[in-house]
Amino acid sequence: MTLLLIVEDNPINRDVLGRRLERRGFAIRFAEDGPEGVAMAKAVRPDVILMDIGLGEMDGYEATRRIKADRETADIPIIALTASAFESDRTKALAAGCDDFDTKPVDLPRLLGKIEAVIGHALS
């Protein structure tokens, strides 16, 4: 079973995305902010991290940089999630170390394709 860590500060977004992905067979863990996301990445070693970029205390860019800078978590793929679709956001997310980028609200088939691409195999 593929384990996803969703780093999202909005409880409604966490709930909706988590339920949709659980129905698709994923195991889900949640972090509510950047520091918790960094700690959870190390503690649970998810297969993929879905990282909200617009977090409060530590934004998703900084959390991504910290996860990618740690040799224990550097190989975990991170897909940035943001409410805006500006090319500058995509460029900044990729520069921070994200492996891919998607917009919210999430288009589930598109996101599933991106998850498959970063883990390197088809999801069952």
Side-chain angles (χ1 to χ4, degrees), residues 45-65:
R45 296 274 311 144
D47 297 301
V48 178
I49 298 171
L50 303 178
M51 178 72 71
D52 179 19
I53 292 302
L55 299 169
E57 181 181 338
M58 175 194 300
D59 69 22
Y61 301 115
E62 181 60 26
T64 295
R65 282 190 286 274

Side-chain angles (χ1 to χ4, degrees), residues 25-100:
F26 292 97
I28 307 293
R29 300 291 182 276
F30 296 102
E32 295 183 16
D33 58 29
E36 185 180 5
V38 173
M40 290 282 293
K42 197 167 192 169
V44 303
R45 296 274 311 144
D47 297 301
V48 178
I49 298 171
L50 303 178
M51 178 72 71
D52 179 19
I53 292 302
L55 299 169
E57 181 181 338
M58 175 194 300
D59 69 22
Y61 301 115
E62 181 60 26
T64 295
R65 282 190 286 274
R66 291 182 186 201
I67 291 166
K68 292 297 187 173
D70 185 324
R71 65 181 172 82
E72 292 182 42
T73 56
D75 63 333
I76 300 172
I78 299 175
I79 299 174
L81 300 177
T82 183
S84 62
F86 300 121
E87 187 60 32
S88 61
D89 291 331
R90 178 181 172 75
T91 301
K92 190 173 178 182
L94 296 175
C98 291
D99 298 272
D100 208 334

Side-chain angles (χ1 to χ4, degrees), residues 1-56:
M1 181 176 291
T2 302
L3 175 60
L4 302 179
L5 172 60
I6 300 173
V7 185
E8 169 65 63
D9 60 352
N10 182 299
I12 295 170
N13 289 345
R14 263 194 323 268
D15 183 57
V16 170
L17 184 56
R19 282 187 292 119
R20 290 176 76 196
L21 290 167
E22 282 177 334
R23 283 195 299 265
R24 293 293 187 143
F26 292 97
I28 307 293
R29 300 291 182 276
F30 296 102
E32 295 183 16
D33 58 29
E36 185 180 5
V38 173
M40 290 282 293
K42 197 167 192 169
V44 303
R45 296 274 311 144
D47 297 301
V48 178
I49 298 171
L50 303 178
M51 178 72 71
D52 179 19
I53 292 302
L55 299 169

